[in-house]
């Protein structure tokens, strides 16, 4: 669940970052298409719809879910090892 939540909230920023890195000036006006991250997200949603900021979410989820599962498993194992080595006093 944590991996999916992380992907849902971070993917719009990843899409914006990619678009900002790949943008080039307009051939006629010489003006850049986006002025920053928020401008990029707003223009993307208004021009392409809200699902446009979720392009590429499947690979992000495929990466985040196993990563978070492994992270939580390691934290639990380390916690158990710590509690065995240093039992609570009292």
């Amino acid at each position: 669940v944590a991996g999916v939540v992380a992907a849902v909230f971070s993917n719009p920023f990843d899409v914006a970052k990619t678009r900002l890195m790949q943008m080039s000036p307009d051939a006629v006006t010489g003006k850049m298409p986006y002025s920053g991250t928020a401008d990029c997200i707003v223009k993307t949603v208004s021009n392409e719809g809200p699902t446009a900021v979720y392009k590429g979410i499947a690979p992000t989820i495929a990466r985040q879910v196993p990563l978070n599962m492994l992270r939580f498993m390691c934290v639990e194992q380390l916690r158990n090892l710590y509690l065995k080595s240093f039992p609570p006093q009292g």
Side-chain angles (χ1 to χ4, degrees):
V1 176
V4 174
V5 172
V8 166
F9 282 102
S10 68
N11 208 72
F13 297 100
D14 287 339
V15 169
K17 178 192 72 158
T18 301
R19 289 177 181 225
L20 288 168
M21 289 173 56
Q22 294 180 347
M23 73 178 173
S24 57
D26 184 84
V28 177
T29 64
K31 188 177 176 185
M32 293 299 234
Y34 309 113
S35 62
T37 305
D39 182 52
C40 180
I41 292 171
V42 168
K43 285 181 179 175
T44 300
V45 170
S46 66
N47 293 334
E48 301 175 41
T51 58
V53 292
Y54 292 103
K55 289 181 180 178
I57 196 164
T60 303
I61 289 173
R63 179 183 71 240
Q64 288 289 335
V65 170
L67 174 68
N68 282 317
M69 284 175 36
L70 185 62
R71 182 179 296 143
F72 286 127
M73 286 171 37
C74 288
V75 166
E76 279 298 312
Q77 291 302 315
L78 290 171
R79 181 180 171 274
N80 290 337
L81 181 63
Y82 178 81
L83 290 175
K84 280 183 186 176
S85 299
F86 305 102
Q89 301 289 322

